[in-house]
Structures are given as C-alpha cells and as structure tokens.
Amino acid sequence: MSDRILIDGDNLSLEDVERVATDPETQVAFAEGVEARMQRSRDVVERALAEGATVYGVTTGFGRLAETPIPADRLEELQINLIRSHACGFGPPLSRAETRAMMLLRANVLAKGFSGIRPGVVQRLLDMLNRGVHPVIPEQGSVGASGDLAPLSHLALVLVGEGEAEVGGEVLPGAEAMRRAGLEPVRLQAKEGLALNNGTQFMAGIGALLLRGAERVVEAADIAGAMSLEGLMGTPDAFHPAIMRARPHPGQAASAQRLRDLLADSEIRESHRHGDPRVQDAYSIRCMPQVHGAARNALAYVRQVLECEANSATDNPLIFPDEGENGLVISGGNFHGQPVAQVLDLLAIALADLASISERRTERLVNPDLSGDLPAFLTRDPGVCSGFMIAQITAAALVSENKVLCHPASVDSIPTGANKEDHVSMGGHGAIKARRVLRNTEAVLAIELLCAAQALEFRKPLRPGRGVERAYDKFRERIGHLDADRALAPDIEAAAALVREGALVDL
C-alpha cells in the first residue's frame, strides 16, 4: 500500500478518509493538475476584484450583511474577521481522528477548483495534516446550514496562527503549534476565509468514520447472531436461498449468505436435526437476514451519500472558470447539510435496530425460561453466581438510550442569522448523537458475543459451524470464559474493541 494519498476533489474514498484519520503517518498531496485548476478559479476572483464587481462575501458582508459593501482596503480584514467571529464553538473537542478526517475533506473539496482559494493556502492545510498539527475543534455550535461554520472556523484559526492545536499530544496556541511543525501561518486574501469555513466537512468527516464503524458492526452482528443461534441450538433453515430469492433485497441476501457460511458444517446443528419438537425459532434468530439486511441496505445508501459529499464543492459563492467569457461567480446553497443530516439519522436508526435485536438474543441466552437446557444466566453455579445477569441489563440500558438518541435531528430547524438562514439541517447534532449510538451498539454486540461464546462452552464437545468456530477462537484469544463471577466491565470493553476493530472477521 502506498504511504501517500493524492487528492483531486473527485476520487477520495471513505476508506482513504479513515486511513488518513487513523494513521498520521499517511501523507496527503495534490494530484497532478490540481493546483493549476485551483489557480484558474482564483484568477476569476482576482478579475472580479480588479473590475470592482459586487461579489457576496468577497466585496460584501456576510448573511444579513450581504448588502453592506466593503472597501477594497479592508477586504483582507473582512476574511480574518469572518474566521475569528465564527470560531465560537462549545463543548469537548473532536478526537484526533475526527479532526484529521475533517481537515482532509476540507482540503479535498477545495481541490475541486470551485472555491477561488489560492493553492498555497490549501497546501498549508495539507502541511498541517502531514506534520500532525491538529486544530482543537469543539463539537457543539453548528446548525449545519451555511455549512459547519463554527467547527470549520476553529480549523481555519490555526491555519492563520490563532486558536489552539494539538501537536504530539500537547495542546498549544495555534502560532506555537505551527512554529513547532516548521510552518508559517497564512494571511488570508479575498474570498479565502469564506472558502475555508463554508461547508459540511464537520458532519461529513465524522459521518465517514461512523459509516466505516457501522459497516464493521453489521458484520459483527451476523457473527454474534450465528454464535447465539448455535448456543441456543437453533436452525439455519430460515436462511435458505429460496426464501431470499422470494424477497430479493440485496442486504437480506448478503446477511443470509453470511450466516449460512458461518454455520456451515455445524456438529451442534446435526445433533438436533431430528427429533427436535421446535418448529421454528424466535424472530431474533429466524429474522436475522431481514433485520441485519435492512441495516446493510441503509448503510449502503449512507455510503452513497457520504462518498458524494466527500467529493462535492460545498462553499459559497462558487467560481466556475469555464462558464462564460470571464468565468462565473454565483451564490447558491451547496453548503446546506440536509443530505448528510438525513443519512446520519438513518445510520443511527439502523444501528439502534441492530442493537435491539442483539439484546433480544442475549436475553434468550441468559433467561432460563427461554434458553432451553442452558444454565440460568450462563453460570455453572447459579444462585451463588449471577453470571451474565447484569450484563443483559447493561445491554437493555444501552438499547433504551439509543431509542432516545434516534429522534431525528434532521427534522428540526431553527432560524439563524437574523432569519436569513431560516431553514437549517442540524447535521452536526446528527453526527454527534450517531457517534454515541455506534459506541452503544458496539457494546451491546460485545455483550451478546460474551454470552454466546459462553453458551458454546456448554455445547462442547460438539463443534459449531466453521465460521462460528473461527470467530469463537479469535474471541477467546482475548477474553476467557466465565468460570465464576468476576467484574465484567473489562470483558465488555475488550469485546467492544474486537467489534470496533473488525477483528473477528476481515471486511
């Protein structure tokens, strides 16, 4: 794998975003021809200035102040004041990975050449990324209308030598952070502050990382579900290809195939193929392809939108050098976050449902009224030992918290900017709460894996399906079985890390 990613504004993948976000050693550079393309749009801005044209945010104020002309000798002051005044976020800072994702996406969309910013300014942003200068960006304060104004302004502050940044684990004033990295702050010229803080890269950057995590979660859900089926001595008959062909949703078919592969050659299944009085399993077992598959379908749509957004020009006004004789500068609304806000809500809903069905399988594993011949709460000494009794309660608590968090942010709006921005997306809220839903769902699946692996102990010497056995062996490399009661919080965290890393299966 190359140690460098080239950006051109058109071809950045979500895998690239995750790689740069999580691996500071990965370097980012412009693809061939990008700087020339960016310069052409900058030339349009320079011509407009020379001709004395009225251009929103370049020779005028912003928002409700768009009718206020700005004298030529104050145009640079206008841009730096835009960044300073808009850097009014609140709350805990983004993680390093989220900040890096946001920086990469901002550089990539500017590389499209529709923003009128000098190539050197964006190169300096890439230099910050490559040298580990990470702006401190509070997670609250964006309504996702004129883009993520406050978060992006905190990012841009460090670029001009202000604000704060983390370098090597230490938070420093922006100027000092740049000095330590051997970088000079930039001096913004006309249009450039607006090019830096208009856009959706806060919600899209977090969303890209959440989507990759969610894709690992849905894979883990199939594994945990198959392991639970074996522990409960269920049947895979409901996953038959004929049933899937009769309702050919792609995600449903994919999960069914995955479950069949995980359960292939199961000795546990053969042990009760004949003479079992049960006709069919409960929905949480039988309907895994339908429920897990619905999540797969939802995440496929989320991916489609986020991949498009990662390569979209989202500031305002946009500059089109090839339109007309002298290029076109036109105001629009590409900064509005509604497309991203809606899919972040969908992502949270899909994850919450995976957690919900997982918790029901956990309940069946631990509840002696539902678990068949498994011991109560999966302990060899019920009564003296509580086993996994409270682990199921933790899962239930997290599932219920997800229900609260899944109220869609994208249906809310509140007027801002003196009612100029009279409809907003709340995509930033959607990103932050979806992040919590993801973490909760990872933990719920971790609890199911703990219980399902424990249930398999009681099925020995019978062996589960090949895929289940492989996942079980990987699981046991990190987490031992429960002989007697112990604090389970570390086990839950360790199992959640396996889910988060995708360690039980290669995606």
Side-chain angles (χ1 to χ4, degrees), residues 219-229 288 358 361 445 448-449 452:
E219 298 293 336
D222 286 343
I223 293 167
M227 197 178 289
S228 292
L229 181 147
M288 284 191 286
S358 171
R361 292 191 296 262
L445 283 166
E448 182 185 359
L449 284 164

Side-chain angles (χ1 to χ4, degrees), residues 221-239 259-260 262-264 266 268-270 272 276 278 280-289 292 361-362 364-365 371 374 448 451-453 455-456 459 464-465 468:
D222 286 343
I223 293 167
M227 197 178 289
S228 292
L229 181 147
E230 294 278 53
L232 292 165
M233 300 186 79
T235 173
D237 288 356
F239 313 148
L259 288 162
R260 291 195 300 270
L262 288 163
L263 295 163
S266 168
I268 296 175
R269 170 60 181 135
E270 293 307 315
H272 65 98
D276 191 331
R278 297 172 299 172
Q280 53 191 14
D281 291 317
Y283 287 7
S284 60
I285 299 294
R286 193 191 340 156
C287 299
M288 284 191 286
H292 297 188
R361 292 191 296 262
T362 295
R364 302 196 78 82
L365 287 163
S371 63
L374 291 172
E448 182 185 359
C451 293
L456 291 180
R459 301 301 176 203
V468 170

Side-chain angles (χ1 to χ4, degrees), residues 428-440:
H429 295 175
I432 297 304
K433 68 187 186 65
R435 179 214 285 158
R436 190 170 180 96
V437 172
L438 174 61
R439 295 293 171 256
N440 287 350

Side-chain angles (χ1 to χ4, degrees), residues 296-455:
R296 286 181 181 273
N297 290 338
L299 296 182
Y301 176 61
V302 175
R303 171 175 276 275
Q304 175 188 330
V305 171
L306 290 177
E307 284 182 334
C308 179
E309 193 72 7
N311 295 286
S312 294
T314 55
D315 58 292
N316 181 60
L318 291 175
I319 291 89
F320 300 95
D322 297 329
E323 296 285 343
E325 185 176 341
N326 295 311
L328 178 65
V329 181
I330 187 168
S331 291
N334 275 6
F335 48 65
H336 202 292
Q338 201 66 24
V340 179
Q342 288 181 351
V343 297
L344 290 175
D345 284 337
L346 177 60
L347 183 147
I349 289 167
L351 288 172
D353 199 41
L354 288 176
S356 179
I357 195 170
S358 171
E359 183 277 330
R360 288 293 82 198
R361 292 191 296 262
T362 295
E363 167 67 2
R364 302 196 78 82
L365 287 163
V366 302
N367 187 337
D369 293 329
L370 301 173
S371 63
D373 60 349
L374 291 172
F377 306 109
L378 298 170
T379 176
R380 297 184 188 279
D381 193 9
V384 173
C385 292
S386 295
F388 290 91
M389 178 191 297
I390 308 305
Q392 182 272 327
I393 293 176
T394 298
L398 295 173
V399 166
S400 284
E401 183 181 354
N402 280 354
K403 295 172 187 176
V404 174
L405 292 168
C406 279
H407 175 84
S410 60
V411 301
D412 185 24
S413 181
I414 188 169
T416 60
N419 222 42
K420 191 80 167 181
E421 301 158 0
D422 57 354
H423 181 275
V424 301
S425 75
M426 297 301 182
H429 295 175
I432 297 304
K433 68 187 186 65
R435 179 214 285 158
R436 190 170 180 96
V437 172
L438 174 61
R439 295 293 171 256
N440 287 350
T441 303
E442 289 167 348
V444 172
L445 283 166
I447 290 168
E448 182 185 359
L449 284 164
L450 285 166
C451 293
Q454 183 77 359

Side-chain angles (χ1 to χ4, degrees), residues 44-55:
V44 174
V45 174
E46 298 290 352
R47 282 197 297 270
L49 291 171
E51 295 167 1
T54 299
V55 180

